Amino acid sequence: MSAFSDALAVTSSGLRAQATRLRVLSENIANVDTPGYRRKTIPFELSKTSTSETPQVRVGDVTLDRSDLERIYDPNHPMADGGGFYDGTNVDLIIELADAREAQRSYEANLKMFEQTRQMSSSLMELLRR
């Protein structure tokens, strides 16, 4: 039964990681037009728990993308400097949407794996009862 619990632990850690990734991506998408907003990124790491030898997925610290902000010319904008420019954002909507789609599909794959592992465990318990 340890293999089943390890599989469930790995898939649930993947579900948590992808859910966190989707939350960060949705923040980026929501702020695509916010002046001065920097894109957030979140790394995944492997971690071993004390109860299992099987590594699990863990999210690292959220970091800000330090690439240059887009310079936008609009002399009427309240944040414009003397030259009429202000700092936009470094969020690329196409990249964020593609990343969100990838995270969603990964979440769905982990969920399907979780359900299949649970079904196999239930089937095994049913066989052992006979």
Side-chain angles (χ1 to χ4, degrees), residues 5 7 16 27 30 40 43 62-63 68 82 89-90 92-93 95 98 102 104-105 110 112-113 116 122:
S5 60
R16 279 190 303 275
E27 288 175 14
K40 294 179 182 178
V62 175
T63 58
D68 292 336
T89 183
N90 62 356
D92 185 349
L93 185 59
I95 290 174
E102 178 187 4
Q104 178 185 3
R105 288 183 177 160
N110 276 298
K112 187 168 287 250
M113 186 67 179
Q116 287 179 348
S122 295

Side-chain angles (χ1 to χ4, degrees), residues 20 41-45 58-63:
T20 303
T41 59
I42 187 162
F44 290 162
E45 302 166 351
R58 185 176 74 83
V59 292
D61 293 332
V62 175
T63 58

Side-chain angles (χ1 to χ4, degrees), residues 26-129:
S26 65
E27 288 175 14
N28 289 342
I29 291 169
N31 289 293
V32 72
D33 291 327
T34 304
Y37 181 82
R38 292 196 177 273
R39 176 179 184 250
K40 294 179 182 178
T41 59
I42 187 162
F44 290 162
E45 302 166 351
L46 287 179
S47 69
K48 288 195 176 189
T49 61
S50 60
T51 59
S52 172
E53 291 290 319
T54 306
Q56 296 181 13
V57 179
R58 185 176 74 83
V59 292
D61 293 332
V62 175
T63 58
L64 297 178
D65 183 353
R66 291 294 175 189
S67 63
D68 292 336
L69 297 175
E70 179 184 10
R71 295 285 291 160
I72 300 171
Y73 179 74
D74 183 2
N76 296 324
H77 195 278
M79 295 180 72
D81 59 14
F85 289 93
Y86 68 94
D87 288 334
T89 183
N90 62 356
V91 176
D92 185 349
L93 185 59
I94 301 298
I95 290 174
E96 298 304 316
L97 290 174
D99 285 350
R101 180 165 295 205
E102 178 187 4
Q104 178 185 3
R105 288 183 177 160
S106 258
Y107 184 91
E108 290 169 358
N110 276 298
L111 186 59
K112 187 168 287 250
M113 186 67 179
F114 187 90
E115 290 170 358
Q116 287 179 348
T117 303
R118 191 180 56 78
Q119 287 175 354
M120 288 182 353
S121 176
S122 295
S123 296
L124 177 62
M125 294 304 265
E126 190 64 34
L127 284 172
L128 292 175
R129 284 187 205 150

